[in-house]
Amino acid sequence: MNSTINQLLQHRSIRKYKPEPVSAEQLRAIVEAAQKAPTSSNMQAYSVVAVTDPEVKRRIAHLAADQQYIEECPVFLLWCADLLRLKYASAPIEEVEIPGTAEIFIIATVDAALAAQNAVVAAESLGLGTVFIGGIRNNPQDISDLVGLPDLVYPVFGMCLGYPDQEPTQRPRLPLEAVLHRERYSTEAYPESIERYNRELNEWMLTRAGGTRDSNWSKEMAGRLKSRQRTHMRSFLENRGFKLE
């Protein structure tokens, strides 16, 4: 194993931060590293908004299900799929209408995700911690208004950034056999590997929750699939120019 793989294998989500600030140089290095992520056809169809204002972070935290660590982290990064910049890039050549297709929506969303993951790796290499915040999609219009996102830009997720003030245990992941398929997709390994993972995750949950959370992956996923979350997202995206045709 090399140092990069070892770092990736040690990843944990951090939800408690020291008050020590993230420097402008660190933030710049992290975003520059994010920019080196792969991007479809060099479109670079994403933007990131760095929020440090305590009041803005407080309001974001409230809109994202009152997640306190958004308030506590020194920097909150809002990762956005951004098609607007492409209009500006094309304007000197000709006025081009951004196609309202599912494909360009996927491109922009994936670009944002790839860049953000690069940022996580860069941040952890500097001794910083992160946690992704999908809760910003609970109230995407309010979040967009709060930070001035225009049409053709939507918030994909947020990310807390700062120096860790905790040492959480690492959440177990699925066995490799449940994820890695060779030559052809196969469900053959699923029953045994999911059963094994259920036992491992159950033990982790009981330890982490002081013995009060007796659950496993199958139970968690069944509950997740039964709940129709954030059904407002389609109309929100279409209103912002992501037509998903």
Side-chain angles (χ1 to χ4, degrees), residues 34 45 56-57 61-62 64 80-81 90 106 118-119 132 144 148 153 161 165 174 209 211 216 222-223 226 242:
V56 178
K57 287 191 296 173
H62 176 64
C80 305
S90 303
I106 292 170
N118 258 30
F132 282 95
S144 298
V153 181
L161 177 66
D165 195 21
L174 282 163
N216 59 41
K226 284 193 296 184
F242 295 84

Side-chain angles (χ1 to χ4, degrees), residues 10 12 46 72 112-113 118 142 211 229 234 238:
Q10 295 304 312
R12 295 165 297 171
Y46 63 91
E72 295 174 348
N118 258 30
D142 291 335
Q229 295 186 327
R234 185 184 184 101
E238 290 182 343

Side-chain angles (χ1 to χ4, degrees), residues 192-221:
E192 190 278 329
S193 58
I194 291 174
E195 181 181 356
R196 177 157 39 106
Y197 184 56
N198 278 337
R199 292 195 300 269
E200 185 178 6
L201 190 62
N202 176 254
E203 292 176 5
W204 180 84
M205 286 180 168
L206 288 171
T207 301
R208 188 168 183 261
T212 62
R213 188 177 176 188
D214 188 7
S215 189
N216 59 41
W217 194 62
S218 290
K219 291 178 182 178
E220 297 286 313
M221 294 306 102

